Amino acid sequence: ALGDNLRSLKHVNGFPVPMVRGCMFSCTYCGGGKKAQLRLSGRRGLAAVPHEHAALEVERLRNQGIEVFFMEYAPLDDDDAYYIRLFETLRARGVDIQADIECRNLPSTRFLVEFAKTFRDPNLSRLNFSPDSPSQERRRGLKVGVPMSDNLLWTRLAEMERIGVSSEIYFSV
């Protein structure tokens, strides 16, 4: 998916910013999941860069001419608070940058609202989703993180449209 993002954003200076390390899932098609993280690093959960430090890094990138930063959405303990605090910190610091975020599961409505307030250019900022398969039945059969139901996915996409958040969906299986 990152390759697609780079193709569609060729004219933009972008840079990836890893804010959370590790994985809370053990998907069948991935070698870097929860079990591998435990074996490689001894880490039992996700480890996040403190949001103040992450905001400083994003601000530093913006000051160097980066227009869009790429990151992954991995909610800590099924909670969007880390990202919401990050977005609030970026706004408080006056950092005018856009974001392209890879989402392996669906963020909350509050996350969407805060995202729209922080990253106001829908042509450059977006959320990318992979429900893994276009078939809900197939998704139920895969051992993946949080299988997305069609109903929840369509509901969240409608919310995004209403709020003004751009999105892209792709399928990995």
Side-chain angles (χ1 to χ4, degrees), residues 94-143:
V95 180
D96 183 22
I97 196 165
Q98 303 308 310
D100 193 294
I101 301 177
E102 182 80 24
C103 302
R104 291 296 296 168
N105 52 345
L106 295 170
S108 69
T109 300
R110 175 138 188 247
F111 175 99
L112 298 175
V113 169
E114 297 298 324
F115 179 90
K117 286 195 301 192
T118 307
F119 311 109
R120 295 177 299 218
D121 187 341
N123 295 315
L124 295 179
S125 290
R126 69 176 168 211
L127 301 178
N128 302 293
F129 296 94
S130 176
D132 292 308
S133 170
S135 164
Q136 182 171 299
E137 290 75 31
R138 175 86 170 126
R139 289 193 301 268
R140 284 189 191 122
L142 294 171
K143 288 185 179 178

Coordinates of all heavy atoms in Angstrom, one line a residue, residues 94-143:
G94 N 1.1 24.3 16.4 CA 1.0 25.0 15.2 C 1.7 24.3 14.0 O 2.1 25.0 13.1
V95 N 1.8 23.0 14.1 CA 2.5 22.2 13.0 C 1.6 22.0 11.9 O 0.5 21.3 12.0 CB 3.0 20.9 13.5 CG1 3.8 20.1 12.4 CG2 4.0 21.1 14.7
D96 N 1.9 22.6 10.7 CA 1.0 22.5 9.5 C 1.6 21.5 8.6 O 2.5 21.7 7.8 CB 1.0 23.9 8.8 CG 0.1 23.9 7.6 OD1 -0.8 23.0 7.5 OD2 0.3 24.7 6.7
I97 N 1.2 20.2 8.8 CA 1.6 19.1 8.1 C 0.4 18.2 7.8 O -0.6 18.3 8.4 CB 2.7 18.3 8.8 CG1 3.5 17.4 7.9 CG2 2.2 17.6 10.1 CD1 4.8 16.9 8.5
Q98 N 0.6 17.3 6.8 CA -0.5 16.4 6.5 C -0.1 15.0 6.9 O 1.1 14.7 7.1 CB -0.9 16.5 5.0 CG -1.3 17.9 4.6 CD -2.3 18.5 5.4 OE1 -3.4 17.9 5.7 NE2 -2.1 19.7 5.9
A99 N -1.1 14.1 7.0 CA -0.8 12.7 7.4 C -1.4 11.7 6.5 O -2.6 11.9 6.0 CB -1.2 12.5 8.8
D100 N -0.7 10.6 6.2 CA -1.2 9.4 5.5 C -1.0 8.3 6.4 O 0.1 7.8 6.7 CB -0.4 9.3 4.2 CG -1.1 8.3 3.2 OD1 -1.2 7.1 3.5 OD2 -1.5 8.8 2.2
I101 N -2.1 7.7 6.9 CA -2.1 6.7 8.0 C -2.7 5.4 7.6 O -3.8 5.3 7.0 CB -2.8 7.2 9.3 CG1 -2.2 8.6 9.7 CG2 -2.8 6.2 10.4 CD1 -2.9 9.2 10.9
E102 N -1.9 4.4 7.8 CA -2.2 3.0 7.5 C -3.0 2.4 8.7 O -2.5 2.4 9.8 CB -1.0 2.2 7.3 CG -1.2 0.8 6.9 CD -1.5 0.6 5.4 OE1 -1.2 1.5 4.6 OE2 -2.2 -0.4 5.1
C103 N -4.2 2.0 8.5 CA -5.1 1.5 9.6 C -5.4 0.0 9.4 O -6.0 -0.4 8.4 CB -6.4 2.2 9.6 SG -6.3 4.0 9.8
R104 N -4.9 -0.8 10.3 CA -5.2 -2.2 10.3 C -6.5 -2.6 10.9 O -7.0 -3.7 10.9 CB -4.1 -3.0 10.9 CG -2.8 -3.0 10.1 CD -2.9 -3.7 8.8 NE -3.2 -5.1 8.9 CZ -3.6 -5.9 7.9 NH1 -3.7 -5.4 6.7 NH2 -3.8 -7.1 8.1
N105 N -7.1 -1.6 11.7 CA -8.4 -1.7 12.2 C -9.1 -0.4 12.2 O -8.4 0.6 11.9 CB -8.4 -2.4 13.6 CG -7.5 -1.8 14.6 OD1 -6.6 -1.0 14.2 ND2 -7.7 -2.1 15.9
L106 N -10.3 -0.3 12.5 CA -11.1 0.9 12.4 C -11.0 1.9 13.6 O -11.2 1.4 14.7 CB -12.6 0.6 12.1 CG -12.8 -0.1 10.8 CD1 -14.3 -0.6 10.8 CD2 -12.6 0.7 9.6
P107 N -10.6 3.1 13.3 CA -10.5 4.1 14.5 C -11.9 4.5 14.9 O -12.9 4.4 14.2 CB -9.7 5.2 13.9 CG -9.9 5.1 12.4 CD -10.1 3.7 12.1
S108 N -11.9 5.1 16.0 CA -13.2 5.6 16.6 C -13.6 6.9 15.9 O -12.8 7.6 15.2 CB -13.0 5.9 18.1 OG -12.1 7.1 18.3
T109 N -14.9 7.3 16.1 CA -15.4 8.5 15.6 C -14.6 9.7 16.1 O -14.3 10.6 15.3 CB -16.9 8.7 15.9 OG1 -17.6 7.6 15.4 CG2 -17.4 10.0 15.3
R110 N -14.2 9.7 17.4 CA -13.5 10.8 17.9 C -12.1 10.9 17.2 O -11.7 12.0 16.9 CB -13.2 10.6 19.4 CG -12.3 11.7 20.0 CD -12.8 12.2 21.3 NE -11.9 13.4 21.7 CZ -11.1 13.4 22.7 NH1 -11.0 12.3 23.5 NH2 -10.4 14.5 22.9
F111 N -11.5 9.8 16.9 CA -10.2 9.8 16.2 C -10.4 10.5 14.8 O -9.6 11.4 14.4 CB -9.7 8.4 16.0 CG -8.5 8.3 15.1 CD1 -7.2 8.1 15.7 CD2 -8.6 8.3 13.7 CE1 -6.1 8.0 14.9 CE2 -7.4 8.2 12.9 CZ -6.2 8.1 13.5
L112 N -11.5 10.2 14.1 CA -11.8 10.8 12.8 C -12.0 12.3 12.9 O -11.5 13.0 12.1 CB -13.0 10.1 12.2 CG -12.9 8.6 11.9 CD1 -14.3 8.1 11.4 CD2 -11.8 8.3 11.0
V113 N -12.7 12.7 13.9 CA -12.9 14.2 14.1 C -11.6 14.9 14.4 O -11.3 15.9 13.8 CB -13.9 14.4 15.3 CG1 -14.0 15.9 15.7 CG2 -15.3 13.9 14.9
E114 N -10.8 14.3 15.3 CA -9.5 14.9 15.6 C -8.6 14.9 14.4 O -7.8 15.9 14.2 CB -8.9 14.3 16.8 CG -9.7 14.4 18.1 CD -9.9 15.8 18.6 OE1 -8.9 16.6 18.4 OE2 -10.9 16.1 19.1
F115 N -8.6 13.8 13.7 CA -7.8 13.8 12.4 C -8.2 14.9 11.5 O -7.3 15.6 11.0 CB -8.0 12.4 11.8 CG -7.2 12.2 10.5 CD1 -5.9 11.7 10.5 CD2 -7.8 12.5 9.3 CE1 -5.2 11.5 9.3 CE2 -7.1 12.3 8.1 CZ -5.8 11.8 8.1
A116 N -9.5 15.1 11.3 CA -9.9 16.1 10.3 C -9.6 17.5 10.8 O -9.3 18.4 10.0 CB -11.5 16.0 10.2
K117 N -9.6 17.7 12.1 CA -9.2 19.0 12.7 C -7.7 19.3 12.5 O -7.3 20.4 12.4 CB -9.6 19.1 14.2 CG -11.1 19.3 14.4 CD -11.4 19.7 15.8 CE -11.0 18.8 16.9 NZ -11.6 19.2 18.2
T118 N -6.9 18.3 12.6 CA -5.5 18.4 12.6 C -4.9 18.5 11.2 O -4.0 19.3 10.9 CB -4.8 17.2 13.4 OG1 -5.4 17.1 14.7 CG2 -3.3 17.4 13.5
F119 N -5.4 17.6 10.3 CA -4.8 17.5 9.0 C -5.9 17.9 8.0 O -6.8 17.1 7.6 CB -4.4 16.0 8.7 CG -3.5 15.5 9.8 CD1 -4.0 14.5 10.7 CD2 -2.2 16.0 10.0 CE1 -3.2 14.1 11.7 CE2 -1.4 15.5 11.0 CZ -1.9 14.6 11.9
R120 N -5.9 19.1 7.6 CA -7.1 19.7 7.0 C -7.1 19.6 5.4 O -8.1 20.1 4.8 CB -7.2 21.2 7.4 CG -7.6 21.2 8.9 CD -7.6 22.6 9.4 NE -6.3 23.3 9.1 CZ -5.8 24.1 9.9 NH1 -6.4 24.5 11.0 NH2 -4.6 24.6 9.7
D121 N -6.1 19.1 4.8 CA -6.1 19.0 3.4 C -6.5 17.6 3.0 O -5.7 16.7 3.0 CB -4.7 19.3 2.8 CG -4.7 19.4 1.3 OD1 -5.6 18.9 0.6 OD2 -3.8 20.0 0.8
P122 N -7.8 17.4 2.5 CA -8.2 16.0 2.2 C -7.5 15.5 0.9 O -7.6 14.3 0.6 CB -9.7 16.2 2.0 CG -9.9 17.6 1.7 CD -8.8 18.4 2.4
N123 N -6.9 16.4 0.2 CA -6.1 15.9 -1.0 C -4.8 15.3 -0.7 O -4.2 14.5 -1.4 CB -5.9 17.1 -2.0 CG -7.2 17.6 -2.6 OD1 -8.1 16.8 -3.0 ND2 -7.4 18.9 -2.6
L124 N -4.3 15.6 0.5 CA -3.0 15.1 0.9 C -3.1 14.1 2.1 O -2.3 13.2 2.3 CB -2.0 16.2 1.3 CG -1.6 17.1 0.1 CD1 -0.7 18.2 0.7 CD2 -0.9 16.3 -1.0
S125 N -4.1 14.4 3.0 CA -4.2 13.5 4.2 C -5.3 12.5 4.0 O -6.4 12.8 3.4 CB -4.6 14.4 5.4 OG -3.5 15.2 5.8
R126 N -5.0 11.3 4.4 CA -6.0 10.2 4.3 C -5.7 9.1 5.2 O -4.6 8.9 5.7 CB -6.1 9.8 2.8 CG -4.9 9.0 2.4 CD -5.1 8.5 1.0 NE -3.8 8.0 0.5 CZ -3.5 8.0 -0.8 NH1 -4.3 8.5 -1.7 NH2 -2.3 7.5 -1.2
L127 N -6.7 8.3 5.4 CA -6.6 7.0 6.1 C -6.7 5.9 5.1 O -7.6 5.9 4.3 CB -7.7 6.9 7.2 CG -7.7 8.0 8.2 CD1 -8.9 7.8 9.2 CD2 -6.4 8.1 9.0
N128 N -5.8 4.9 5.2 CA -5.8 3.7 4.4 C -6.3 2.5 5.2 O -5.8 2.3 6.3 CB -4.4 3.5 3.8 CG -3.9 4.7 3.1 OD1 -4.4 5.1 2.0 ND2 -2.9 5.4 3.6
F129 N -7.2 1.7 4.6 CA -7.7 0.6 5.3 C -7.5 -0.7 4.4 O -7.7 -0.6 3.2 CB -9.2 0.7 5.5 CG -9.6 1.8 6.4 CD1 -9.9 3.1 5.9 CD2 -9.6 1.7 7.8 CE1 -10.2 4.1 6.7 CE2 -9.9 2.7 8.6 CZ -10.2 3.9 8.1
S130 N -7.2 -1.8 5.1 CA -7.2 -3.1 4.5 C -8.1 -4.0 5.3 O -7.6 -4.6 6.3 CB -5.8 -3.6 4.3 OG -5.9 -4.9 3.8
P131 N -9.3 -4.3 4.9 CA -10.1 -5.3 5.5 C -9.6 -6.7 5.2 O -10.3 -7.7 5.5 CB -11.5 -5.0 5.1 CG -11.4 -4.0 4.0 CD -10.0 -3.5 3.9
D132 N -8.5 -6.8 4.5 CA -7.8 -8.0 4.1 C -8.5 -8.7 2.8 O -7.8 -9.0 1.9 CB -7.7 -9.1 5.2 CG -6.7 -8.6 6.2 OD1 -5.6 -8.3 5.9 OD2 -7.1 -8.6 7.4
S133 N -9.8 -8.8 2.9 CA -10.5 -9.4 1.7 C -11.8 -8.7 1.5 O -12.4 -8.2 2.4 CB -10.8 -10.9 2.1 OG -11.7 -11.5 1.1
P134 N -12.3 -8.6 0.2 CA -13.6 -8.0 0.0 C -14.7 -8.8 0.5 O -15.9 -8.3 0.6 CB -13.6 -7.8 -1.5 CG -12.6 -8.8 -2.0 CD -11.6 -9.0 -1.0
S135 N -14.5 -10.1 0.9 CA -15.6 -11.0 1.3 C -15.6 -11.1 2.9 O -14.6 -11.5 3.5 CB -15.3 -12.4 0.8 OG -16.1 -13.3 1.5
Q136 N -16.7 -10.7 3.4 CA -16.8 -10.8 4.9 C -16.7 -12.2 5.4 O -16.1 -12.4 6.4 CB -18.2 -10.2 5.3 CG -18.4 -10.2 6.8 CD -19.6 -9.4 7.3 OE1 -19.7 -8.3 7.0 NE2 -20.6 -10.1 7.9
E137 N -17.2 -13.1 4.6 CA -17.1 -14.5 5.0 C -15.6 -15.0 5.0 O -15.1 -15.7 5.9 CB -17.9 -15.5 4.1 CG -19.4 -15.3 4.2 CD -19.9 -14.0 3.6 OE1 -19.4 -13.5 2.6 OE2 -20.9 -13.5 4.1
R138 N -14.9 -14.5 4.0 CA -13.4 -14.8 3.9 C -12.7 -14.2 5.1 O -11.8 -14.8 5.7 CB -12.9 -14.3 2.6 CG -11.4 -14.5 2.4 CD -11.1 -15.9 1.9 NE -9.7 -15.9 1.5 CZ -8.9 -16.9 2.0 NH1 -9.3 -17.8 2.7 NH2 -7.6 -16.8 1.7
R139 N -13.0 -13.0 5.4 CA -12.4 -12.3 6.6 C -12.6 -13.1 7.9 O -11.7 -13.1 8.7 CB -12.9 -10.9 6.7 CG -12.4 -9.9 5.6 CD -12.7 -8.5 6.0 NE -14.0 -8.1 6.2 CZ -14.9 -7.7 5.3 NH1 -14.5 -7.6 4.0 NH2 -16.1 -7.4 5.6
R140 N -13.7 -13.6 8.1 CA -14.0 -14.4 9.3 C -13.1 -15.6 9.3 O -12.7 -16.1 10.4 CB -15.5 -14.8 9.3 CG -16.4 -13.7 9.7 CD -17.8 -14.3 9.9 NE -18.7 -13.2 10.0 CZ -19.8 -13.0 9.3 NH1 -20.1 -13.9 8.3 NH2 -20.6 -12.0 9.4
G141 N -12.7 -16.2 8.2 CA -11.9 -17.4 8.2 C -10.4 -17.1 8.3 O -9.7 -18.1 8.6
L142 N -10.0 -15.9 8.1 CA -8.6 -15.6 8.2 C -8.2 -15.3 9.7 O -9.0 -14.8 10.5 CB -8.3 -14.3 7.5 CG -8.4 -14.4 6.0 CD1 -8.3 -13.0 5.4 CD2 -7.4 -15.3 5.4
K143 N -7.1 -15.7 10.1 CA -6.6 -15.4 11.4 C -5.9 -14.1 11.3 O -4.7 -14.0 11.1 CB -5.7 -16.5 11.9 CG -6.4 -17.8 12.3 CD -5.4 -18.8 12.9 CE -6.2 -20.0 13.2 NZ -5.3 -21.1 13.8

